């Protein structure tokens, strides 16, 4: 059961935050409100009138709009075409022509009315994520909605874009619209919400006001006290383990994604890479791991060049790697927990030799790791796909930490992971650092980078704009993430 | 649960037993793969029965006065269907009369074992081609090229069989290895193309099928291959030293079926117990994760197609060295394409594939008798095979017809259809 007797009331002109961990049932609840799912029990009242939503069409007719976490836009269509999609203006009867001009005018009108600048003729695929989101909001607003649901809207935004979005939400609320803001980021909730409903395991566990402290909110979300701060002592950086200089890497389209990057990571320190997703972090890490060819530059692991090495060789030379896309790159969902725990060591003693596997050693290893990393699973023989995101991630982290490491690379180590597991994974990363491993953490969550890192490199459009201390004010890091350096505007190379 | 009548003391125990029993029944009637497979075969036989009646003009004529005397039509239909399916059984497994005659001393043991011998003879090459498709599929590749690989296996195995002089024993071994290598080469090409250029193996293997089949047609007309004493397109006879040892005539079953069982065991071991099997299963379900874990997807694809091709090639060699003793344009029959269906029926599991191949062999062997005795066309067997596969490929249909409960763990997706 994803939702268990939830009551929630949203007043006109209110920003109502729905707070809960991944899998708490927030999206399920909102999908019912938007007609994508039907409730088994209970009712939905709009302005005191009972409504049944069989599809989003019904919901839109009742004045409810939704901006999904993953945008529902057609990349090769223009902004105006996307906004018209599903409610096209047609001239000359049902078989007539699309009235593009009227569409365009509607878009401009709505855009102006709510102060949301969009270019109706731009192609979606050419727009940055923040602008795409604006298109989604304009799209909902052209349908004349009274209640706007925003599902995790800030996950893909820079801190500045987030601020802009919060301002838009505020002005929409002032114009009388109601907003449901789904999130798990406490800071944003406190900044914008008029009321907060906390959901845990499909139940409403409490309502709060914005002056509730972050720790109290987190405790409500998780059901126990959690420490949001990553507890760690000062780093004791040793020798240089990873040394990257002048690195140039191209993305799948042949566009330069990593542009002359120089970085070093020392033993016993965590280097965090901050940046909005899609600024070259993925390609940088893939290049180190031998998953992507290098155009120019050097990558050295303690005087050993990693250029031209296969992924297997890189892993075997003492590198642990937690990929950013867990379900695609991290685990084989149909494989058991035990098999996933040896996914990159199956052909090494004691788990196997060239011609046979050793199921006993694999099982022993699985039992140990499950215990050590607190992986909640009924049996190590269960398929990994049946585990929660947090436990799947623990499987990946356990696998990568179960051999002697010189370098540990974690990309988005806690994406889609519950707060309890985040705490655990962060502790493990710091533990690895204290054992003298060089650690590279890439995350688009600035809080995570600031919490874990001893030094922070900010990436923007494939370049490292600056390496700063984690004590740097957040605003300053946020500006760097948006490409604005202290002295001058970043070169405008569109 | 109707346990109200039971005495209170025993109630709990009884409830437990009943729930165990009902759980057993539930599981039996749930949509697991075994149940669906058996019901698919049953459904195919039911539809086959209708086709048998419809295609017989004699029986059909009784239906013209069905309303006045329905018994005529029903009896005639029942007689025909039971005779046809009786023949299918007698031709494939055993004929009670022949077994009785053997016990009485009036018949020979050869006659008693004849049907099963036929079944296994037809099954042997299908096991190899089925395994070829199954192992490729587990690695995420859809090997449509079993036919071409088997044809090349027929050619290389057959040519070594009649053109090379070697001592008994060694000759057979070399001929089999030649068959394996021929098929392996025919699998290596699409594997390499897939690994290097991303060319889809479905396209390349289908094209290689044509090349192999037409190459065989050309080859048997060439001097040195063609039998000089015959005018038709047929090759020289394979020397007895290269033929698979068989039971005494008229039994046809040969060592091929034993090799097929061994091959099944080897494939099962390779899939589940070897590091290469681990790799190929990982690549099969999630290539990016396999790549991230340091496996070489390209190497796995290539090696996998070599093994799959080799297995199909062995199937061709077994066909030539065991059942046929000469190369003809049709020597490989349809064993490559039937291998696809056998693998589907066996759910891409080695032992399942073995059983499926035997079922296919049985249908084929029984169909021969059915045609001779009941006058039902052999094509009906092909229709039955096709129907079974359709029902298995559409498990939702079977589930709906029999109102099966959803199985708890069985993944009943149309396994093969997902491969595209």
């Amino acid at each position: 059961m994803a939702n268990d007797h939830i009551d929630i009331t949203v007043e006109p002109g209110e920003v109502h935050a729905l707070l809960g961990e991944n899998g708490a049932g927030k999206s399920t609840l909102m999908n019912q409100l938007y007609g994508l799912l039907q409730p088994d029990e209970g009712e939905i009242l709009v302005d005191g009138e009972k409504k049944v939503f069989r599809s989003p069409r019904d919901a839109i007719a009742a004045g409810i709009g939704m901006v999904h976490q993953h945008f529902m836009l057609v990349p090769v269509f223009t902004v105006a075409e996307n906004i018209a999609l599903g409610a096209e203006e047609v001239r000359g009867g049902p078989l007539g022509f699309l009235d593009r001009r009227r569409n365009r005018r509607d878009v401009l009108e709505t855009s102006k009315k709510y102060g949301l600048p969009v270019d109706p003729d731009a192609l979606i695929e050419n727009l940055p994520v923040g602008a795409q989101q604006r298109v989604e909001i304009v799209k909902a607003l052209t349908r004349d909605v009274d209640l706007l649901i925003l599902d995790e809207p800030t996950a893909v935004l820079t801190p500045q874009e987030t601020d802009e979005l919060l301002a838009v939400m505020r002005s929409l609320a002032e114009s009388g619209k109601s907003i449901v803001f789904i999130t798990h980021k406490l800071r944003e909730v406190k900044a914008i919400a008029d009321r907060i409903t906390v959901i845990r395991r499909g139940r409403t566990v409490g309502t709060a006001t914005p002056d509730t402290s972050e720790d109290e909110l987190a405790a409500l979300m998780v059901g126990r006290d959690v420490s949001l701060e990553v507890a760690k002592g000062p780093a004791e950086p040793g020798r240089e383990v990873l040394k990257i200089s002048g690195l140039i890497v191209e993305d799948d389209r042949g566009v330069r994604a990593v542009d002359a990057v120089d970085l070093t990571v020392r033993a016993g320190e965590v280097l965090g890479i901050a940046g909005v997703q899609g600024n070259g972090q993925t390609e940088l890490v893939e290049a180190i791991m031998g998953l992507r060819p290098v155009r120019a530059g050097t990558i050295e692991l303690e005087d050993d060049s990693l250029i031209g090495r296969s992924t297997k060789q890189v892993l075997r030379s003492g590198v642990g790697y937690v990929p950013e896309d867990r379900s695609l790159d991290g685990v084989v969902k149909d494989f058991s927990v035990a098999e996933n725990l040896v996914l990159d060591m199956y052909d090494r003693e004691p788990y196997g030799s060239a011609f046979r596997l050793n199921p006993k050693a694999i099982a022993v290893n699985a039992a140990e790791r499950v215990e050590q990393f607190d992986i909640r699973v009924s049996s190590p023989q269960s398929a990994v796909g049946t585990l929660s995101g947090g436990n799947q991630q623990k499987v990946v982290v356990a696998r990568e930490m179960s051999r002697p490491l010189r370098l540990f690379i974690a990309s988005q180590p806690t994406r889609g992971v519950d707060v309890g597991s985040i705490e655990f994974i962060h502790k493990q990363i710091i533990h690895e650092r204290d054992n003298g491993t060089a650690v590279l953490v890439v995350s688009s969550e600035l809080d995570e980078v600031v919490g874990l890192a001893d030094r922070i490199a900010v990436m923007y459009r494939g370049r490292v704009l600056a390496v700063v201390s984690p004590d740097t004010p957040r605003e300053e890091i946020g500006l760097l993430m948006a490409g604005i350096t202290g002295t001058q505007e970043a070169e405008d190379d569109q | 649960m109707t346990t109200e009548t039971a005495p209170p003391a025993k109630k709990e125990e009884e409830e437990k037993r009943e729930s165990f029993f009902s759980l057993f029944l539930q599981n039996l009637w749930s949509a697991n793969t075994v149940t669906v497979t058996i019901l698919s075969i049953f459904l195919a036989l039911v539809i086959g029965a209708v086709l048998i009646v419809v295609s017989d003009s004699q029986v059909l004529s009784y239906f013209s006065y069905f309303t006045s005397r329905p018994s005529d039509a029903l009896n005639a239909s029942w007689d025909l269907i039971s005779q046809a399916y009786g023949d299918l059984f007698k031709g494939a497994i055993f004929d009670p009369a022949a077994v009785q005659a053997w016990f009485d001393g009036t018949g020979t043991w050869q006659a008693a074992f004849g049907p099963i011998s036929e079944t296994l003879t037809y099954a042997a090459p299908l096991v190899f081609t089925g395994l070829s498709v199954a192992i490729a599929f587990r690695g995420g590749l859809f090997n449509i090229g079993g036919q071409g690989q088997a044809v090349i296996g027929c050619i290389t195995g057959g040519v070594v069989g009649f053109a090379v002089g070697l001592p008994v024993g060694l000759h057979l071994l070399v001929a089999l290895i030649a068959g394996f290598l021929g098929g392996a080469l025919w699998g290596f090409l699409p594997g390499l193309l897939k690994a290097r250029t991303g060319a889809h193996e479905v396209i390349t293997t289908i094209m290689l099928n044509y090349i192999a089949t037409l190459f065989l047609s050309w080859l048997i007309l060439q001097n040195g291959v063609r039998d000089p004493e015959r005018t038709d397109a047929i090759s020289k006879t394979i020397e007895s030293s290269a033929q698979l040892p068989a039971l005494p005539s008229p039994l046809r079953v040969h060592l091929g079926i034993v090799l097929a069982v061994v091959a099944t065991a080897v494939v099962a071991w390779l899939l589940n117990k070897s590091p290469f099997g681990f790799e190929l299963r990982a690549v099969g379900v999630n290539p990016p994760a396999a790549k991230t874990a340091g496996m070489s997807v390209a190497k796995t694809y290539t090696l996998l197609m070599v093994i799959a091709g080799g297995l199909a090639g062995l199937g061709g060699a077994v066909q030539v060295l065991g059942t046929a003793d000469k190369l003809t344009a049709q020597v490989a029959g349809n064993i490559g394409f039937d291998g696809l269906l056998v693998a589907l029926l066996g759910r891409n599991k080695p032992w399942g594939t073995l059983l499926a191949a035997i079922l296919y062999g049985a249908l084929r062997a029984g169909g021969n008798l059915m045609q001779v005795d009941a006058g039902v066309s052999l094509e009906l067997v092909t229709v039955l095979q096709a129907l079974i596969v359709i029902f298995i490929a559409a498990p939702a249909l079977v589930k709906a017809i029999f109102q099966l409960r959803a199985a708890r763990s069985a993944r009943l997706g149309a396994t093969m259809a997902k491969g595209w």
Side-chain angles (χ1 to χ4, degrees), chain B residues 335-359:
Chain B
I335 58 173
F337 293 122
D338 284 348
L340 281 169
L341 307 181
V342 164
L344 174 64
L345 190 54
R347 311 277 171 177
N348 297 309
K349 300 223 161 66
W351 296 106
T353 303
L354 179 74
L355 291 179
I358 292 174
L359 176 72

Coordinates of all heavy atoms in Angstrom, one line a residue, chain B residues 335-359:
Chain B
I335 N 16.1 -27.7 -39.4 CA 16.5 -27.8 -37.9 C 16.9 -26.5 -37.3 O 16.7 -26.3 -36.1 CB 17.6 -28.9 -37.8 CG1 18.8 -28.5 -38.6 CG2 17.1 -30.3 -38.1 CD1 20.0 -29.4 -38.3
G336 N 17.4 -25.6 -38.1 CA 17.8 -24.3 -37.5 C 16.6 -23.5 -37.1 O 16.6 -22.9 -36.0
F337 N 15.6 -23.4 -37.9 CA 14.5 -22.6 -37.6 C 13.7 -23.3 -36.5 O 13.1 -22.6 -35.6 CB 13.6 -22.3 -38.8 CG 14.3 -21.4 -39.8 CD1 14.5 -21.8 -41.1 CD2 14.8 -20.2 -39.4 CE1 15.2 -21.0 -42.0 CE2 15.4 -19.3 -40.3 CZ 15.6 -19.8 -41.6
D338 N 13.6 -24.6 -36.5 CA 12.9 -25.3 -35.5 C 13.6 -25.1 -34.1 O 13.0 -25.1 -33.1 CB 12.8 -26.8 -35.8 CG 11.7 -27.1 -36.8 OD1 10.9 -26.2 -37.1 OD2 11.7 -28.2 -37.3
G339 N 14.9 -24.9 -34.2 CA 15.7 -24.6 -33.0 C 15.2 -23.4 -32.3 O 15.2 -23.3 -31.0
L340 N 14.8 -22.4 -33.0 CA 14.2 -21.2 -32.4 C 13.0 -21.5 -31.6 O 12.8 -21.1 -30.4 CB 13.8 -20.2 -33.5 CG 14.8 -19.3 -34.2 CD1 14.2 -18.7 -35.4 CD2 15.3 -18.3 -33.2
L341 N 12.1 -22.4 -32.2 CA 10.9 -22.7 -31.5 C 11.2 -23.6 -30.3 O 10.5 -23.5 -29.2 CB 9.9 -23.4 -32.5 CG 9.7 -22.6 -33.7 CD1 8.7 -23.3 -34.6 CD2 9.2 -21.2 -33.4
V342 N 12.1 -24.5 -30.5 CA 12.5 -25.4 -29.4 C 13.0 -24.6 -28.2 O 12.6 -24.8 -27.0 CB 13.5 -26.4 -29.9 CG1 14.2 -27.1 -28.7 CG2 12.9 -27.5 -30.8
A343 N 13.8 -23.6 -28.5 CA 14.4 -22.8 -27.4 C 13.3 -22.0 -26.7 O 13.3 -21.9 -25.5 CB 15.5 -21.8 -27.9
L344 N 12.4 -21.5 -27.5 CA 11.3 -20.7 -26.9 C 10.4 -21.6 -26.0 O 10.1 -21.3 -24.8 CB 10.4 -20.2 -28.0 CG 9.1 -19.5 -27.6 CD1 9.4 -18.3 -26.7 CD2 8.3 -19.1 -28.8
L345 N 10.1 -22.8 -26.5 CA 9.4 -23.8 -25.7 C 10.1 -24.2 -24.5 O 9.5 -24.4 -23.4 CB 9.1 -25.0 -26.6 CG 8.1 -26.1 -26.1 CD1 6.8 -25.4 -25.8 CD2 7.9 -27.1 -27.3
G346 N 11.4 -24.3 -24.6 CA 12.2 -24.7 -23.4 C 12.6 -23.5 -22.5 O 13.4 -23.6 -21.6
R347 N 12.1 -22.3 -22.8 CA 12.3 -21.1 -22.0 C 13.7 -20.7 -21.9 O 14.2 -20.2 -20.9 CB 11.7 -21.3 -20.6 CG 10.3 -21.8 -20.5 CD 9.4 -20.7 -20.8 NE 8.0 -21.2 -20.9 CZ 6.9 -20.5 -21.0 NH1 7.0 -19.2 -21.0 NH2 5.8 -21.1 -21.1
N348 N 14.5 -21.0 -23.0 CA 15.9 -20.7 -23.0 C 16.7 -21.3 -21.9 O 17.8 -20.8 -21.5 CB 16.1 -19.2 -23.1 CG 15.5 -18.6 -24.3 OD1 15.8 -19.0 -25.4 ND2 14.6 -17.6 -24.1
K349 N 16.2 -22.4 -21.3 CA 17.0 -23.1 -20.3 C 17.5 -24.4 -20.9 O 16.8 -25.0 -21.7 CB 16.1 -23.4 -19.1 CG 15.5 -22.2 -18.4 CD 15.5 -22.3 -16.9 CE 15.4 -21.0 -16.2 NZ 14.1 -20.4 -16.4
P350 N 18.8 -24.7 -20.6 CA 19.3 -25.9 -21.3 C 18.5 -27.2 -21.2 O 18.1 -27.8 -22.2 CB 20.7 -26.1 -20.6 CG 21.0 -24.8 -20.0 CD 19.7 -24.1 -19.7
W351 N 18.1 -27.6 -20.0 CA 17.4 -28.8 -19.8 C 16.0 -28.7 -20.4 O 15.4 -29.6 -21.0 CB 17.4 -29.3 -18.4 CG 18.8 -29.6 -17.9 CD1 19.5 -28.9 -17.1 CD2 19.6 -30.7 -18.3 NE1 20.8 -29.4 -16.9 CE2 20.8 -30.6 -17.7 CE3 19.4 -31.8 -19.2 CZ2 21.9 -31.5 -17.8 CZ3 20.4 -32.7 -19.3 CH2 21.6 -32.5 -18.7
G352 N 15.4 -27.5 -20.3 CA 14.1 -27.3 -20.9 C 14.2 -27.4 -22.4 O 13.3 -28.0 -23.0
T353 N 15.3 -26.9 -23.0 CA 15.4 -27.0 -24.4 C 15.5 -28.5 -24.8 O 15.0 -28.9 -25.8 CB 16.7 -26.3 -24.8 OG1 16.6 -24.9 -24.4 CG2 16.9 -26.3 -26.3
L354 N 16.3 -29.3 -24.0 CA 16.4 -30.7 -24.3 C 15.0 -31.4 -24.4 O 14.6 -32.1 -25.3 CB 17.2 -31.4 -23.3 CG 17.4 -32.9 -23.4 CD1 18.4 -33.2 -24.6 CD2 17.9 -33.5 -22.2
L355 N 14.2 -31.1 -23.4 CA 12.8 -31.7 -23.3 C 12.0 -31.2 -24.5 O 11.3 -32.0 -25.1 CB 12.1 -31.3 -22.0 CG 12.7 -31.9 -20.7 CD1 12.0 -31.5 -19.5 CD2 12.7 -33.5 -20.8
A356 N 12.1 -29.9 -24.8 CA 11.3 -29.4 -25.9 C 11.7 -30.0 -27.2 O 10.8 -30.3 -28.1 CB 11.5 -27.8 -26.0
A357 N 13.0 -30.2 -27.4 CA 13.5 -30.9 -28.6 C 12.9 -32.3 -28.7 O 12.5 -32.7 -29.8 CB 15.0 -30.9 -28.7
I358 N 12.9 -33.0 -27.6 CA 12.3 -34.3 -27.6 C 10.8 -34.3 -28.0 O 10.3 -35.1 -28.8 CB 12.6 -35.1 -26.3 CG1 14.1 -35.3 -26.2 CG2 11.8 -36.4 -26.2 CD1 14.5 -35.9 -24.9
L359 N 10.1 -33.3 -27.4 CA 8.7 -33.2 -27.8 C 8.5 -32.9 -29.3 O 7.7 -33.5 -29.9 CB 8.1 -32.0 -27.0 CG 6.6 -31.7 -27.3 CD1 5.7 -32.8 -26.8 CD2 6.2 -30.4 -26.8

